Amino acid sequence: MKRTLLNQWLLLAFAGTSPAIWADVTPQVENSPRVADSAPVQLCYPKADIPAIMATLDKNDDQLRIDSNKAELIDNQTAEFTGPLQLTYRDTLLTAPMARVSKIDQSMFADGGISYYSSALKVSSSSFSAQLAENKVTMRDAEYRFISQAGRGYANEMSASDQGVVLNQATFSTCPEGDNGWALAADKISINAEDGWGEAWGSVVKIKDIPVLYLPYMTYPVNDKRKTGVLFPKIGSSQKLGLDVEVPYYLNLADNYDATLTPRYMSQRGTQLKSEFRYLTSQHQGSLYLEYLNKDQDKAADFGKRYLSHISHLADFNDRWRATVDFTDISDDSYLTELGSDINNQSDTQLYRQATLSYYGDYVRSDLQMQGFEILGNYNKAYAALPQLNLSSTKPLELGGGLQFLWLGQYAHFSNDSQLVKAADRLHLEPTVRLPYNTAALELLFEGSLLQTYYQQDLQLPSAVLDKSVQRSMPKLSMNGKLNFERDTSWFGANSLQTLEPQIQYLYIPYRDQRNIGLFDTARLQDDYYGLFRQNRYSGLDRINDTNQLTLGWTTRVYDQLDTERFRFSMGQILFLDEPKTEFEIAPGQPPAIAATESIFAAETLLHWQQRWFLNGGVQYDSETKRMVKSSVSLDYRADDKKIFQLNHRYSRDVSSNEIAQLGALGTMPIADKWQAVASYYRDINNHRMIEANVGFQYESCCWAIRLVARRQIETNLDLAIDNFAHPVKLDSGIALRFVLKGFGDSAGFDVSDMLSSGIFGYRRPYLLNN
């Protein structure tokens, strides 16, 4: 973990008392003060002109070699070399018109135009001198350039000794030659490589040769150490928050933990403090996050103190034991929608909380969990599982003749004081016997299970439907078969491979009346193509659908010569031999939103007919009632990361008992040299209104970038019922400005994909097997 504003490394090494001189000047510039690799050299930086002899040098060769046209020994004390001459030592090279080595005062001098090369640096200077007795080297009028990464500069005098390196009247920039986008100038820079810190006096940051920031004194790390300091601010504005400014301040606390404090000023809400603490050890890693606003100045509501807290922790005790924690808490349900957060999305409607201790054994896997959901808004609270213990066999037990035995078990305690069942204990056991048969062309699986579930429900009031004690037992039988066919074919004139994969599944589960069981962790699952072969249409265990069904499906794919999937089409249907009786009621006595027999036909397709074009679609259709249940389609054009376009449509007949139909478009395209434009628009078709619109422009050169994004979106109001479409919506407009000097600040995430992912609807790449 490191967070630096500027990272330079200059090192001088002398070998013994002989005239062996090795100067290795290797600056490194970090993109970000966080964990980051050195900034890569972009295409806009021309390749450095390196002499061919550099490829033959050996860094382990300790001999000093001087090649020159003429050498003269004076009084057996001084040697003069005239040239041109080449001085090589290890993997460094020094070229000069002349050089003089004195045995008396242990010195070396070269002038007339010096060029120095190492594996990481090229330096051009007017003169070079070395005091061997003092272990000191000086270069005057030195222009340096990094070879393996962006960065260049000038020093009126560059000197190095055992105590460190000093640059007088020095400059540094990551801009290429001829580009004065930004530069750091300092009267004096002192670097001590041994303790890992550098100091600069009289520093000035210049943009387009215009001074914008003066720092009389600054320190920074010169190796992989981190340094406390201010990071680049973020500036924006919106109708809800007014002027929004964040100024992060990084705290280097130790090698394995750090912190960031970010004061955030919102002209219409007040001043908020955001903090993040990160830690990393051999077995543990994680972060603690806190946002706190002492007094919200919004006059429309009296929120008082507002906060968000978050903890994320991962512990690997050994190869078998692992623990995770993920917990978020907020002061009020409107916190995310109004103030936003770096931890959660602004459109999140629930907070997930869990802590898990897992054991991975040779025969048994176990997970001890504490989990729950905080539902935001005017909705019923969700049940919390405190605790939940899952046990399962790690691998099948071979019974002979290909027969295998597996098992799983679960115990969970649920609690929710706001529901009729304020607490419940559930114990579930499920032994399974299966017989697999697999070849290259055929896959068969016969499976039989016994589902035993026990409930003890604590009712707050007597109920005519729910029982205090429930025992549910049911068998489950299934047979799944799949064939794999292949044939050579042609795809737009090119040799290709086509597959045909028919699949059949028979599933039998007898009916059990489950209306006397509460709903603790159960919801209706989606019926896409792969969901047709799912053995339970509900999550959790509180409802297990009865069925006597046959599922038929097939998939065909086309692969090109590079094994890229160019086409895929899947289609399947459930044929009910007996009509299911198990319904998923939202509440006791309330009719279900989706009948048990709905959505029994599903299809999906992928068409990648050209390298840049993708078409994805899916549909779920109820063939009995002749009604569409769900559909989605997207058309994507992706030339590269900077030329993207997507047109999408999504429809769902039931989202919390409401019909949803949305149309969206987004794209990004270069509009000029170094300029990028991005825009998105989403519309609610049923209610004839805009949901979200964004437009942004970004200028990015080799060494600096600026971005301006304007957005307008529906303001989420969690206090309203989800079906209250007649209520007039409020629109929030905002604008955000971000500026970064590459190599001198935190530029992580400053790319086109960062702009596309902002907002309610983020861009998602089309699914490809060979992405």
Side-chain angles (χ1 to χ4, degrees):
M1 297 183 290
K2 54 186 173 182
R3 188 169 278 203
T4 65
L5 296 180
L6 176 63
N7 185 6
Q8 291 182 316
W9 171 275
L10 297 172
L11 178 63
L12 173 69
F14 292 88
T17 59
S18 63
I21 301 174
W22 172 44
D24 186 8
V25 190
T26 311
Q28 293 179 347
V29 180
E30 300 296 341
N31 264 354
S32 167
R34 291 182 178 271
V35 182
D37 295 326
S38 299
V41 178
Q42 302 185 31
L43 296 177
C44 50
Y45 293 93
K47 187 177 180 179
D49 184 16
I50 304 298
I53 192 176
M54 289 291 296
T56 66
L57 300 181
D58 183 3
K59 65 180 180 179
N60 298 317
D61 185 0
D62 291 330
Q63 292 186 357
L64 173 67
R65 294 181 174 87
I66 300 178
D67 296 327
S68 66
N69 293 339
K70 181 180 178 181
E72 182 178 357
L73 185 62
I74 303 174
D75 297 332
N76 202 29
Q77 300 294 329
T78 303
E80 289 190 355
F81 302 89
T82 57
L85 64 86
Q86 288 185 339
L87 185 150
T88 60
Y89 179 73
R90 295 186 179 178
D91 59 349
T92 63
L93 169 67
L94 182 72
T95 66
M98 65 81 60
R100 182 173 62 251
V101 178
S102 174
K103 183 179 179 181
I104 297 176
D105 55 9
Q106 288 288 291
S107 66
M108 176 179 175
F109 176 79
D111 67 358
I114 308 300
S115 295
Y116 167 83
Y117 302 89
S118 73
S119 59
L121 190 73
K122 173 185 177 181
V123 181
S124 298
S125 67
S126 61
S127 66
F128 173 93
S129 62
Q131 299 298 322
L132 304 182
E134 301 176 9
N135 284 351
K136 183 178 181 181
V137 166
T138 301
M139 292 186 185
R140 299 187 183 277
D141 297 325
E143 293 184 0
Y144 63 89
R145 175 192 166 175
F146 307 156
I147 294 176
S148 59
Q149 59 192 69
R152 62 180 178 88
Y154 169 83
N156 185 45
E157 182 180 86
M158 176 188 296
S159 62
S161 66
D162 289 340
Q163 287 71 42
V165 177
V166 176
L167 291 86
N168 292 314
Q169 301 300 318
T171 63
F172 170 80
S173 177
T174 57
C175 297
E177 293 285 347
D179 187 344
N180 63 343
W182 78 271
L184 173 69
D187 294 336
K188 180 182 178 181
I189 297 176
S190 177
I191 300 172
N192 191 323
E194 191 170 322
D195 64 14
W197 298 108
E199 299 174 288
W201 291 266
S203 303
V204 178
V205 178
K206 297 181 180 180
I207 298 179
K208 293 295 183 180
D209 294 328
I210 301 174
V212 296
L213 179 62
Y214 175 72
L215 299 171
Y217 175 79
M218 64 179 292
T219 62
Y220 52 88
V222 296
N223 50 24
D224 60 353
K225 293 185 178 181
R226 297 159 291 139
K227 181 63 177 177
T228 298
V230 179
L231 305 179
F232 273 93
K234 298 179 181 179
I235 304 174
S237 69
S238 68
Q239 292 176 327
K240 289 189 299 184
L241 306 178
L243 179 64
D244 188 358
V245 181
E246 296 184 25
V247 183
Y249 186 82
Y250 175 73
L251 295 170
N252 174 36
L253 303 176
D255 290 340
N256 63 329
Y257 56 91
D258 59 14
T260 305
L261 299 177
T262 306
R264 180 188 184 189
Y265 172 73
M266 298 168 286
S267 61
Q268 295 186 14
R269 296 303 182 100
T271 301
Q272 179 189 47
L273 179 63
K274 302 163 67 174
S275 63
E276 180 184 17
F277 174 77
R278 303 181 305 158
Y279 55 92
L280 174 65
T281 68
S282 59
Q283 293 183 331
H284 304 269
Q285 61 177 304
S287 62
L288 304 174
Y289 195 88
L290 177 64
E291 299 177 353
Y292 181 77
L293 179 63
N294 186 58
K295 175 64 177 178
D296 194 323
Q297 298 175 357
D298 184 16
K299 298 179 181 179
D302 184 16
F303 289 107
K305 295 179 174 62
R306 308 187 75 177
Y307 64 86
L308 177 146
S309 59
H310 172 79
I311 178 173
S312 175
H313 179 77
L314 170 63
D316 283 310
F317 302 109
N318 51 47
D319 294 339
R320 296 186 180 274
W321 288 94
R322 165 176 287 193
T324 60
V325 177
D326 189 349
F327 183 89
T328 303
D329 186 37
I330 57 178
S331 57
D332 55 88
D333 291 349
S334 302
Y335 185 95
L336 296 177
T337 60
E338 293 191 352
L339 302 181
S341 173
D342 297 331
I343 298 299
N344 293 79
N345 294 324
Q346 199 170 8
S347 56
D348 286 351
T349 57
Q350 61 186 24
L351 302 177
Y352 177 58
R353 301 162 172 177
Q354 67 87 20
T356 303
L357 178 64
S358 301
Y359 172 76
Y360 304 88
D362 294 332
Y363 303 100
V364 177
R365 172 177 175 177
S366 64
D367 296 289
L368 179 62
Q369 293 181 327
M370 313 281 282
Q371 62 177 347
F373 295 88
E374 180 178 351
I375 308 299
L376 306 181
N378 262 336
Y379 308 107
N380 293 330
K381 290 177 58 180
Y383 278 92
L386 304 171
Q388 178 174 307
L389 176 63
N390 300 311
L391 296 171
S392 62
S393 53
T394 303
K395 55 185 177 182
L397 176 64
E398 301 293 339
L399 301 178
L403 205 62
Q404 298 176 343
F405 175 76
L406 301 94
W407 61 273
L408 63 87
Q410 183 190 97
Y411 166 76
H413 175 77
F414 300 99
S415 61
N416 189 339
D417 293 337
S418 64
Q419 298 289 345
L420 177 59
V421 182
K422 64 179 182 180
D425 293 283
R426 183 180 70 195
L427 177 64
H428 178 78
L429 301 173
E430 188 173 332
T432 300
V433 177
R434 70 181 188 183
L435 180 64
Y437 177 79
N438 295 318
T439 68
L442 173 65
E443 300 174 28
L444 276 176
L445 179 62
F446 299 90
E447 199 170 74
S449 303
L450 180 62
L451 284 64
Q452 295 278 355
T453 315
Y454 305 87
Y455 285 87
Q456 193 69 34
Q457 303 178 121
D458 185 2
L459 305 178
Q460 301 206 53
L461 297 172
S463 172
V465 179
L466 301 176
D467 294 330
K468 291 185 177 181
S469 297
V470 179
Q471 177 178 340
R472 183 187 64 193
S473 179
M474 60 178 68
K476 179 176 66 175
L477 300 173
S478 68
M479 184 281 295
N480 192 297
K482 183 179 179 181
L483 291 171
N484 298 291
F485 299 102
E486 294 182 357
R487 74 181 182 100
D488 294 328
T489 186
S490 176
W491 178 262
F492 289 95
N495 294 331
S496 305
L497 177 71
Q498 182 181 12
T499 69
L500 179 63
E501 306 160 27
Q503 186 174 359
I504 183 172
Q505 176 179 276
Y506 173 74
L507 178 64
Y508 173 76
I509 304 174
Y511 171 75
R512 297 291 187 269
D513 189 354
Q514 303 167 67
R515 291 174 294 178
N516 56 350
I517 300 174
L519 296 175
F520 307 111
D521 62 351
T522 297
R524 177 69 183 264
L525 298 174
Q526 296 185 24
D527 290 329
D528 55 11
Y529 171 76
Y530 297 100
L532 298 179
F533 295 90
R534 190 185 294 119
Q535 295 187 357
N536 191 11
R537 306 180 79 185
Y538 309 107
S539 65
L541 297 168
D542 304 321
R543 294 294 183 271
I544 298 176
N545 55 273
D546 68 292
T547 190
N548 184 14
Q549 70 182 46
L550 194 65
T551 305
L552 303 176
W554 58 271
T555 298
T556 182
R557 312 172 197 264
V558 175
Y559 296 93
D560 65 12
Q561 294 175 311
L562 299 177
D563 290 333
T564 300
E565 189 179 41
R566 293 293 187 175
F567 174 74
R568 180 178 72 247
F569 180 77
S570 300
M571 180 176 66
Q573 184 168 9
I574 296 177
L575 304 176
F576 289 107
L577 306 181
D578 294 317
E579 186 169 317
K581 300 178 183 178
T582 303
E583 298 283 7
F584 182 74
E585 67 278 10
I586 299 176
Q590 185 173 343
I594 301 178
T597 58
E598 283 194 12
S599 186
I600 55 176
F601 173 84
E604 66 173 37
T605 186
L606 162 70
L607 180 58
H608 183 194
W609 70 94
Q610 286 187 353
Q611 192 66 29
R612 300 177 178 181
W613 285 95
F614 311 87
L615 179 66
N616 292 265
V619 61
Q620 291 106 59
Y621 181 75
D622 183 3
S623 57
E624 182 176 338
T625 61
K626 312 299 182 184
R627 293 192 300 176
M628 186 73 69
V629 177
K630 184 176 293 185
S631 67
S632 64
V633 62
S634 68
L635 176 66
D636 289 81
Y637 172 82
R638 189 183 184 99
D640 52 42
D641 288 341
K642 294 189 176 182
K643 293 181 181 179
I644 300 171
F645 173 77
Q646 184 182 89
L647 179 66
N648 59 70
H649 177 270
R650 64 195 77 181
Y651 169 81
S652 180
R653 188 165 56 83
D654 179 74
V655 176
S656 299
S657 303
N658 293 281
E659 184 181 68
I660 299 296
Q662 297 170 348
L663 181 67
L666 61 83
T668 177
M669 184 70 66
I671 55 177
D673 184 31
K674 302 178 182 178
W675 281 94
Q676 189 83 16
V678 62
S680 65
Y681 181 85
Y682 287 88
R683 186 168 186 83
D684 184 342
I685 299 175
N686 289 346
N687 296 284
H688 310 289
R689 64 190 182 196
M690 181 198 73
I691 303 175
E692 178 190 59
N694 290 274
V695 61
F697 297 93
Q698 177 172 300
Y699 174 85
E700 182 174 13
S701 70
C702 294
C703 57
W704 69 284
I706 187 171
R707 174 190 301 166
L708 182 67
V709 178
R711 65 170 178 80
R712 187 169 175 81
Q713 65 186 38
I714 287 181
E715 223 179 276
T716 305
N717 190 344
L718 297 175
D719 293 329
L720 298 176
I722 194 170
D723 58 350
N724 194 349
F725 293 111
H727 191 279
V729 299
K730 293 183 179 180
L731 295 175
D732 180 45
S733 299
I735 189 169
L737 176 69
R738 188 177 178 190
F739 180 78
V740 68
L741 303 179
K742 295 184 178 180
F744 198 66
D746 188 355
S747 59
F750 204 98
D751 53 25
V752 173
S753 61
D754 186 44
M755 286 197 292
L756 287 174
S757 61
S758 62
I760 300 176
F761 302 97
Y763 172 74
R764 293 175 176 85
R765 287 189 62 177
Y767 171 76
L768 277 181
L769 186 62
N770 302 88
N771 267 359

